[in-house]
Amino acid sequence: MNERLNRRLSAVVGAFLILVAGGIAVLGGGLLETPVLLAQVTLMGLAGVCDIVAATDTRLTARWAWYRWSGLGNVLLGFSLPLGFVESGTGLLFVVVVAIGGLSLGLMGVDMLVYHGKYTRDERLDRDGT
């Protein structure tokens, strides 16, 4: 995939995450009384903001590459996934399975943040190869 398509995808994912987090915050009464849900919604919203930043050309992406913002969004979203099931009563096995999915998403984000996509892409995303 090319950079332009990846950035457009980041915009779509970011908008979706912000809408979901905002909807839960507005419609999910008692958010402040449920710290785990509050943490999940906050992480999800921050992940959406990171993806929106990744999709736009701003001073933020001039200082820190777009794919790093996207990677940070993946890490935050990976942390938020299992939180939705911690107090849901679905059972420990389900929480562990979702946590493994969140961990894999988080590790892909770490690759984008630290290693410039070296392990999840065909080639590093930084232009100078450092």
Side-chain angles (χ1 to χ4, degrees):
M1 276 202 276
N2 64 21
E3 178 180 326
R4 202 163 108 194
L5 182 60
N6 282 326
R7 292 182 84 176
R8 284 183 185 164
L9 184 60
S10 283
V12 171
V13 170
F16 175 76
L17 291 174
I18 290 171
L19 285 173
V20 169
I24 292 171
V26 170
L27 300 176
L31 192 62
L32 294 176
E33 290 84 31
T34 315
V36 173
L37 181 60
L38 178 62
Q40 181 186 31
V41 170
T42 301
L43 289 170
M44 189 183 306
L46 288 173
V49 169
C50 288
D51 281 333
I52 294 292
V53 169
T56 57
D57 285 321
T58 64
R59 285 186 282 164
L60 293 173
T61 53
R63 293 180 60 124
W64 216 35
W66 70 269
Y67 57 84
R68 287 183 150 177
W69 285 102
S70 179
L72 180 59
N74 285 348
V75 170
L76 293 171
L77 184 59
F79 280 133
S80 78
L81 286 178
L83 293 178
F85 300 98
V86 168
E87 296 177 345
S88 66
T90 56
L92 182 61
L93 179 62
F94 191 70
V95 173
V96 169
V97 168
V98 174
I100 290 170
L103 178 65
S104 65
L105 185 60
L107 289 174
M108 287 188 285
V110 167
D111 178 51
M112 300 288 277
L113 271 168
V114 178
Y115 303 106
H116 308 277
K118 178 180 177 181
Y119 299 104
T120 57
R121 308 285 175 138
D122 289 335
E123 59 186 52
R124 290 174 59 117
L125 295 171
D126 56 338
R127 299 288 190 261
D128 60 5
T130 59

